[in-house]
Amino acid sequence: MYKVNISTFTKVSVAVSTVVGGVFAVLAVVLPSAPSEPRNPGVYGIWSSRYSYPSSNGTVEINGTTEYLKNGSYNFSGQMKLEGLVNKQEFRILYDVDGAGEWSADSKSIIIKLMDIKSHPKFIEIDSKRIDPKMIVAITGKDFPALSDAIPKGTSDEFTIVQLEKDSMVLQADDPKGHLLAIQMNRETHRFQR
C-alpha cells in the first residue's frame, strides 16, 4: 500500500487552491454568462474546446462543451486537469466540472457572467500513485478544494471573437499570467460525455 504523506497532501491542496484561483479568467470562457444584451446568433449551439496553459504551479487543461442557448444562458460540462510539482513531488488532479451562467455577444466579443459552478475531484495522483479523493478527506478531515471555493459567483469577463464560422470559433483571452491565449472551439451535435 502506498504511504501517504499528510504534509504533501496539505501542500498539494494549497497548490490546487492557488492554481484554481488563477484559473477563473480562462475558465470563464468555458463557463460563460452575461447581461441580457445582444446575442450573436452565430454563437448559438454546442461548442467543444480542449486547451491548456501554464499556471503558477504547473499547467491547467480544460476539456468540455459549452452550450450557448438563445435565451442568453449557457451550460458547460467537462473536465479540468491540474498538473504541477509541489515539494519535489509531481501531482495531477482531474475534476469533473459543470457550470451555468449568462452570456451576450456581438460581432467582436463575448461577455460572460458565471452564475454557478460545481466540481468534483475524479482522481488525484502524487508521483504517479493514484489516490482516492475520499481517502484524502478521511486522512486530513478536510474537503479537497473545489473550483467553486476560488471562483466567485456573478463574476464577469469579456473575450475577443477572433474568428466565427459556421462550425468553428476562436476566442482570445488573457491567461492567468497575462499572456494571450487563443481558444479553438468546434461546433458539436452533443454535449461532453464523461
Side-chain angles (χ1 to χ4, degrees):
M1 178 177 193
Y2 182 70
K3 293 188 177 180
V4 178
N5 181 333
I6 302 288
S7 173
T8 298
F9 281 127
T10 302
K11 289 178 182 177
V12 167
S13 292
V14 169
V16 168
S17 295
T18 301
V19 168
V20 168
V23 164
F24 174 72
V26 174
L27 183 61
V29 168
V30 198
L31 306 176
S33 104
S36 56
E37 297 284 324
R39 292 189 189 95
N40 183 333
V43 175
Y44 299 156
I46 300 170
W47 298 88
S48 66
S49 59
R50 183 178 195 134
Y51 57 94
S52 63
Y53 56 89
S55 69
S56 57
N57 289 357
T59 59
V60 175
E61 182 180 307
I62 307 288
N63 182 24
T65 57
T66 304
E67 182 175 13
Y68 296 94
L69 303 172
K70 292 179 182 179
N71 68 358
S73 61
Y74 77 88
N75 298 300
F76 171 80
S77 182
Q79 296 180 324
M80 174 186 279
K81 181 168 58 175
L82 309 175
E83 294 182 307
L85 191 66
V86 171
N87 221 21
K88 297 184 180 180
Q89 292 184 301
E90 294 180 354
F91 71 88
R92 286 188 340 141
I93 302 163
L94 182 67
Y95 284 98
D96 284 334
V97 180
D98 293 291
E102 300 168 352
W103 70 278
S104 69
D106 56 23
S107 63
K108 297 180 181 177
S109 63
I110 294 178
I111 298 172
I112 61 164
K113 184 177 180 187
L114 177 65
M115 302 305 288
D116 197 15
I117 180 173
K118 303 291 183 201
S119 65
H120 175 74
K122 189 167 184 170
F123 72 74
I124 299 161
E125 287 182 359
I126 297 178
D127 283 341
S128 301
K129 306 291 184 190
R130 192 164 288 205
I131 301 161
D132 185 336
K134 292 176 186 171
M135 186 176 90
I136 293 176
V137 173
I139 291 171
T140 64
K142 297 179 181 178
D143 288 336
F144 203 77
L147 300 177
S148 59
D149 295 336
I151 303 172
K153 291 181 184 178
T155 303
S156 298
D157 211 337
E158 184 171 354
F159 303 88
T160 302
I161 298 174
V162 176
Q163 174 190 337
L164 178 57
E165 297 179 0
K166 181 182 175 186
D167 293 323
S168 67
M169 174 167 52
V170 178
L171 301 179
Q172 187 172 295
D174 290 334
D175 71 17
K177 293 187 172 187
H179 302 110
L180 288 179
L181 172 67
I183 300 168
Q184 173 72 47
M185 302 183 86
N186 298 305
R187 191 175 294 280
E188 299 293 343
T189 57
H190 60 277
R191 295 177 189 93
F192 182 83
Q193 303 295 307
R194 291 191 177 102

